[in-house]
Amino acid sequence: MTTIQNADQATIVEELAAVIVANKAFLSEIDGKIGDGDHGINMAKGFGRAAERIHGKDMTLDAAMLVLSDVLMSEIGGSMGPLYGLMFEDMAGALTGREVIDAATFSTMLNAGLEGVRGVGSAEVGDKTLMDTLVPAVAAFDAAQGQGFAAALRAMAAAAETGRDSTIDLVAKIGRASRLGERSRGVLDAGATSCCMILTTLAQSVQRRLA
Amino acid sequence: MAPRPGSKSGDGDTASAMPLRYGDDPLLWAAWLYYEEGLTQGEIAEKMGLSRASVNAYLADARTRGIVNIEIAPDKFRSLSIAQALRDHFGLQDCLVIPTEGGDRSLIARLGAAGAQTLQRFVKSGDTLAVTWGRTVLALAEALDRPGLQDVRVVQATGGTTAKIPWTPEACASRLAEALNARSIPISAPATVSSPEIRAMLMQEPVLAEQLAILAEADRIVMGISSLRPESTIHSSGFLDGGVQHAHYQDAVGSIIGRFINARGESVIGPMHERTIGIDLDALRRIPQRIAVAGGVDKLPAILAALRGGYVNVLVTDVVTGRGILTAEGYKDTPRRSPPPVQAPLTARSHVKKLINAPQDAVDEALKGALLAHEHLIAALPGSPRAIRALEGPRAGKVGIVIGGGAGHEPGFWGYVGRGLADAAAIGNLFASPPPGPILAATQAVDGGAGVLYIYGNFSGDVMNFDMAAELAMAEGIAVRAVVTTDDIASSPVESRAARRGVAGNVFIFKIAGAAADRMLPLEACDALVRRANARTYTMGLALEPGSLPETRRPSFELGPNDIEIGVGVHGEPGVVRQPLAPADDCADLLLDRILAEMAPHEGDRVAVLVNSLGGTPAMELYIILRRVRQRLKSRGIEVHSSLVGPYYTSLDMAGVSLTLLHLDDELAGLLEAPCRSAALVVP
């Protein structure tokens, strides 16, 4: 198959939430090296609450993403609340009214999410933020679209991982870690890591439904 | 009390040394001496005139014959540092780590017994308990003894197998059900079938569908973890043959519930996926409690992968495996038995003691307490518990001052809400900006028609959320301006002052803002004064010990036993440079020199001083620092207008101090002297 249905896909968002919740301690640990160590706690709180609210509901993917966005934006705060909140809100907007999601729709969704993040944050690739994961992952998906949906998802996940790992050698230019200068080099960025978890889980979840 | 073997008769003739009530049974006597009298095996051997090996054999025999019944106090084992570290690192509900070496029973049998103890603590009447298969799981089932439960269902997590092994899924489930006096629900199908088509057909069978529906209701699961070595259970039970593994599962490092995972814990999908009947990895993650019992170095990569994948939230393993997992995750083990260092670093503590209830309730419970303590000054807005308003202060025609930020800075921010200070504060989660909701609610509540001024420290999250709230407020016709404070001189060089953090200097800046608004100055004038105050406020801090979050109860960064961190922020983030601890005066000088270098005051200039505790440093040390700062300022010919000393703007329990100087001019001095009344600051 080359498409998935939009209807009854709340479980995709639940799967995202499960991975974030499962990695709560790991994300906080990374964050603690150059940030304040609460990334996993806040992410797990937001994603976990959203998962509770959509669990067992018959929802489209965009409706479930909107629930997640709403929780992140209205209850979590910090920088991740608005960044991921707007990303999922704009992703959901790109899916609204679609019955099926094909590679082209998925690409529209990814690009909308990316623009959502750009709308609130000022980071660029190389600043040691989630953009180092998100930007190349979206580009990789678009570049591999010709090889089919599944292949494009795999390319996206691979690029997300490469992007995440690229933050190890970067010096933070934005956010709390930026005040550390050279001392921020040598560790993963927590936002880039959680973004990679989101994208790779999304890729796997959709791939399974394509199968 | 039992007779105590006479100490004199212990030497010499063994027969006469043996108390009568044990007859001539040396086994009983040895067991008594060991377990009741607490003698070592060596002491018993000497007392009874036996070799240590014999004593050891007697003791083992006493256990197998049921003369001695040992129950591990699980608290003792969970408190081992490895179990604690595993629990913290992987966010486990519980972790039990048993010694790898121990007596004559195999590791599998001992893991099974430990797993049985763990399960006994959790399993409740009415539970649906899923179970996988394998040697360790069967050992657990055989060690389990938990009568008295009602309405427990034990359900196979996968279909069955005809493999010639004693630990098949059917055997494990039925043995476990027997021990729990539970109903046993099989999965009436093979665990693996020959094609996806056959699986699809079978899944439609009502009997199987009903069994799988029960499986989906599981409250907990007990599972083993299999390596992919040729001798592993996953091979011997017929789930995988070598050819299939080679072709499709090269990335897999382990197997749980008959599914395959890679080193990162991600599902490895191969031809067996659609041919396996039973719970899958996603459904597994949805089971609230997932108890894995597994140990042995050969399984280490598989256990690690299962933990990384979040498939396990209760782990029972052995010390060597547990330590291996932590090492693989980059965790540094502190040797327990090596001689203690001359001065043990406080960071070696595995957790920090805190007076909290549930960690996730700490912020709200503290806020409720603050509201009760200062009920004559502040109150939460109805329907918006994280928006705190001054009872006196906001009024028509006055610019509303709204401050805010994350929790953890107590008495920030509610402590600066009151007449002559801020009109309202929005408070976020720990060290995280409040979302736009409470900021907007605060804005609406204090808008007296003259506009609202936001003042908050420069952190990307705060900027985003206050910006969003400002947009929403302006859409409602409320004029909003914002001053983003940047007083922390350590956080960025002077050329990029706008990138600096806003920290304890906020106390002065809030005061200036509150006084300006209280004088009924218009929004533009308030905004300009607050910007000037911000530009003339300089803060620098240093930490002696990191703080710790209630959720983790672990230090938020590592600091050597004799190190201090210079230029720390107020969120437990590390500072800018690290250096050896120096006397208080040297530390005060270090902070003051940097501040004065940038402020460049003239002789006769006036400053206000704040010596602030980051949470863990006592008043005594703050006053030592203040004394030195005043000495230095006097010798420089700088007049001190006023001094604040205390925990004004904290970072939870971080030990350390920040020094703030506000470089006054006449107008700012007048505003600083204006009356105000809040929980943390009163000027009569």
Side-chain angles (χ1 to χ4, degrees):
Chain A
M1 283 213 294
T2 55
T3 62
I4 62 165
Q5 295 294 313
N6 189 11
D8 200 12
Q9 297 289 20
T11 47
I12 293 182
V13 176
E14 282 189 65
E15 286 162 17
L16 292 184
V19 171
I20 294 295
V21 170
N23 285 285
K24 172 175 153 178
F26 174 61
L27 288 173
S28 288
E29 188 91 21
I30 306 177
D31 190 31
K33 292 185 177 146
I34 53 171
D36 57 9
D38 66 351
H39 186 66
I41 295 165
N42 284 328
M43 289 286 286
K45 196 181 281 177
F47 280 71
R49 275 186 201 169
E52 281 167 26
R53 282 178 212 178
I54 59 179
H55 181 68
K57 301 231 169 80
D58 181 3
M59 287 177 129
T60 58
L61 181 55
D62 55 296
M65 281 180 168
L66 274 184
V67 172
L68 175 59
S69 163
D70 192 50
V71 173
L72 293 173
M73 300 261 279
S74 63
E75 295 175 39
I76 298 310
S79 53
M80 287 305 147
L83 288 170
Y84 282 134
L86 288 172
M87 180 177 94
F88 283 112
E89 182 178 312
D90 290 356
M91 281 183 168
L95 298 180
T96 310
R98 309 270 189 156
E99 267 186 34
V100 292
I101 300 168
D102 58 8
T105 312
F106 197 83
S107 161
T108 310
M109 178 198 85
L110 287 175
N111 282 284
L114 176 57
E115 286 314 305
V117 175
R118 284 208 167 114
V120 63
S122 54
E124 288 301 332
V125 170
D127 290 350
K128 197 172 182 116
T129 69
L130 65 90
M131 294 303 258
D132 291 306
T133 301
L134 185 57
V135 171
V138 174
F141 183 92
D142 287 347
Q145 244 193 89
Q147 297 156 42
F149 200 169
L153 288 168
R154 282 193 294 275
M156 174 181 86
E161 286 174 6
T162 310
R164 172 198 63 198
D165 295 342
S166 77
T167 62
I168 292 179
D169 293 327
L170 292 172
V171 171
K173 300 236 175 64
I174 210 154
R176 260 173 210 158
S178 64
R179 278 94 185 198
L180 292 178
E182 273 297 321
R183 277 175 73 185
S184 66
R185 201 190 289 280
V187 293
L188 283 171
D189 176 66
T193 307
S194 64
C195 186
C196 181
M197 284 173 190
I198 290 169
L199 292 174
T200 51
T201 310
L202 188 61
Q204 285 160 9
S205 296
V206 173
Q207 263 178 276
R208 270 197 298 279
R209 286 159 178 81
L210 286 173
Chain B
M1 276 305 292
R4 205 185 161 83
S7 56
K8 282 180 189 165
S9 58
D11 314 316
D13 182 358
T14 60
S16 66
M18 189 181 293
L20 275 177
R21 66 181 291 177
Y22 297 117
D24 53 3
D25 192 342
L27 189 155
L28 267 182
W29 191 34
W32 180 265
L33 290 176
Y34 190 72
Y35 293 108
E36 284 296 318
E37 302 291 341
L39 301 191
T40 65
Q41 294 190 19
E43 288 166 337
I44 297 166
E46 200 183 328
K47 194 176 279 292
M48 295 178 66
L50 299 165
S51 71
R52 275 203 55 185
S54 309
V55 172
N56 190 285
Y58 282 147
L59 294 175
D61 213 20
R63 282 200 298 271
T64 48
R65 282 167 52 183
I67 294 166
V68 175
N69 202 348
I70 300 174
E71 193 174 318
I72 303 168
D75 284 340
K76 295 282 184 287
F77 277 81
R78 269 200 312 285
S79 66
L80 283 176
S81 62
I82 291 173
Q84 183 72 44
L86 284 167
R87 211 169 73 165
D88 291 346
H89 187 81
F90 293 101
L92 303 176
Q93 290 175 2
D94 204 351
C95 183
L96 182 60
V97 176
I98 63 166
T100 302
E101 307 292 339
D104 41 14
R105 283 192 305 166
S106 70
L107 179 62
I108 284 173
R110 290 185 305 110
L111 281 168
Q117 286 212 1
T118 302
L119 179 61
Q120 280 171 37
R121 289 194 308 113
F122 289 117
V123 66
K124 297 196 302 279
S125 288
D127 271 358
T128 299
L129 180 67
V131 59
T132 67
W133 75 102
R135 267 175 280 231
T136 317
V137 173
L138 187 63
L140 182 155
E142 280 170 348
L144 191 67
D145 183 21
R146 181 73 174 84
L149 291 174
Q150 306 285 315
D151 307 319
V152 176
R153 297 186 294 188
V154 171
V155 54
Q156 265 174 245
T158 63
T161 163
T162 55
K164 289 185 178 50
I165 46 172
W167 42 82
T168 60
E170 300 92 317
C172 289
S174 62
R175 184 68 194 79
L176 194 64
E178 205 179 303
L180 292 169
N181 191 26
R183 203 179 126 209
S184 179
I185 293 137
I187 297 294
S188 303
T192 58
V193 294
S194 44
S195 77
E197 291 72 21
I198 290 177
R199 176 175 178 274
M201 277 168 55
L202 277 171
M203 299 286 271
Q204 285 167 9
E205 275 301 318
V207 169
L208 188 55
E210 192 190 323
Q211 291 166 341
L212 290 169
I214 293 171
L215 178 55
E217 289 169 20
D219 302 287
R220 353 184 168 269
I221 183 167
V222 173
M223 53 192 176
I225 297 175
S226 179
S227 76
L228 292 185
R229 289 165 169 242
E231 72 281 9
S232 68
T233 295
I234 195 72
H235 289 283
S236 63
S237 55
F239 271 69
L240 193 58
D241 61 63
V244 170
Q245 181 186 354
H246 188 70
H248 300 282
Y249 292 100
Q250 311 96 308
D251 288 349
V253 298
S255 169
I256 45 174
I257 56 166
R259 311 282 174 165
F260 300 90
I261 53 176
N262 67 20
R264 290 185 300 279
E266 295 154 352
S267 174
V268 178
I269 307 284
M272 298 310 294
H273 187 69
E274 290 298 325
R275 287 169 44 198
T276 302
I277 294 178
I279 195 167
D280 63 20
L281 290 170
D282 291 331
L284 171 63
R285 274 217 195 88
R286 288 195 288 272
I287 298 179
Q289 187 173 62
R290 310 179 291 277
I291 305 168
V293 185
V297 175
D298 56 322
K299 292 192 179 195
L300 207 153
I303 299 170
L304 182 57
L307 287 166
R308 284 175 173 163
Y311 303 110
V312 174
N313 59 14
V314 175
L315 177 67
V316 177
T317 191
D318 64 283
V319 168
V320 171
T321 310
R323 184 173 289 140
I325 290 167
L326 291 169
T327 306
E329 288 283 282
Y331 177 89
K332 282 187 244 45
D333 193 15
T334 29
R336 297 166 61 79
R337 285 183 180 276
S338 58
V342 181
Q343 202 176 354
L346 286 174
T347 47
R349 285 179 300 184
S350 61
H351 66 271
V352 176
K353 286 174 255 181
K354 289 192 183 282
L355 285 174
I356 52 171
N357 298 306
Q360 65 271 23
D361 296 335
V363 171
D364 286 310
E365 290 180 352
L367 187 53
K368 276 183 191 140
L371 292 172
L372 290 168
H374 309 292
E375 57 196 342
H376 54 297
L377 291 172
I378 49 175
L381 289 175
S384 193
R386 297 287 187 88
I388 309 303
R389 188 181 76 95
L391 296 182
E392 262 187 79
R395 54 198 187 270
K398 186 184 95 72
V399 169
I401 304 292
V402 173
I403 61 173
H409 306 303
E410 291 72 18
F413 293 89
W414 46 260
Y416 304 102
V417 175
R419 188 172 183 112
L421 267 158
D423 295 293
I427 294 161
N429 293 321
L430 263 175
F431 297 156
S433 157
I439 304 172
L440 180 63
T443 311
Q444 292 160 335
V446 304
D447 173 39
V452 173
L453 184 61
Y454 290 172
I455 307 166
Y456 55 91
N458 184 27
F459 298 94
S460 42
D462 294 270
V463 174
M464 287 178 211
N465 287 284
F466 274 90
D467 275 358
M468 288 163 72
E471 256 177 59
L472 296 168
M474 288 194 280
E476 293 181 12
I478 303 175
V480 175
R481 291 202 178 197
V483 177
V484 184
T485 64
T486 53
D487 57 305
D488 183 357
I489 64 170
S491 55
S492 204
V494 66
E495 309 84 71
S496 51
R497 186 170 173 138
R500 288 177 173 176
R501 299 178 288 220
V503 288
N506 277 342
V507 174
F508 287 139
I509 300 168
F510 295 158
K511 174 71 184 77
I512 299 295
D518 202 43
R519 286 182 182 172
M520 306 302 275
L521 296 177
L523 184 57
E524 295 70 30
C526 291
D527 179 81
L529 278 167
V530 174
R531 280 175 201 282
R532 191 158 98 221
N534 179 48
R536 295 172 72 91
T537 301
Y538 305 83
T539 300
M540 187 153 158
L542 61 83
L544 311 176
E545 299 292 344
S548 57
L549 294 167
E551 289 265 4
T552 60
R553 294 172 64 212
R554 288 201 296 171
S556 59
F557 57 87
E558 279 180 34
L559 200 48
N562 293 308
D563 285 344
I564 59 173
E565 185 93 14
I566 313 290
V568 285
V570 284
H571 302 96
E573 61 268 61
V576 179
V577 287
R578 195 164 278 198
Q579 68 171 57
L581 178 61
D585 285 359
D586 294 353
C587 289
D589 288 353
L590 191 146
L591 301 177
L592 188 64
D593 287 343
R594 281 282 304 270
I595 290 173
L596 290 178
E598 227 183 85
M599 183 193 278
H602 298 292
E603 203 171 325
D605 280 1
R606 282 192 296 169
V607 296
V609 178
L610 166 61
V611 175
N612 172 53
S613 168
L614 294 174
T617 290
M620 177 193 242
E621 294 168 34
L622 302 180
Y623 283 106
I624 293 173
I625 298 286
L626 188 272
R627 164 200 134 276
R628 174 67 179 171
V629 170
R630 293 290 299 261
Q631 270 181 1
R632 289 279 320 274
L633 291 172
K634 189 178 178 201
S635 61
R636 177 79 67 111
I638 295 164
E639 192 185 319
V640 174
H641 171 277
S642 49
S643 302
L644 295 178
V645 180
Y648 281 87
Y649 206 92
T650 60
S651 180
L652 290 174
D653 53 349
M654 185 188 280
V657 64
S658 72
L659 174 65
T660 301
L661 261 57
L662 167 56
H663 193 183
L664 291 166
D665 54 30
D666 288 346
E667 192 172 20
L668 292 177
L671 292 165
L672 204 58
E673 288 157 15
C676 71
R677 197 159 119 80
S678 74
L681 197 59
V682 176
V683 177

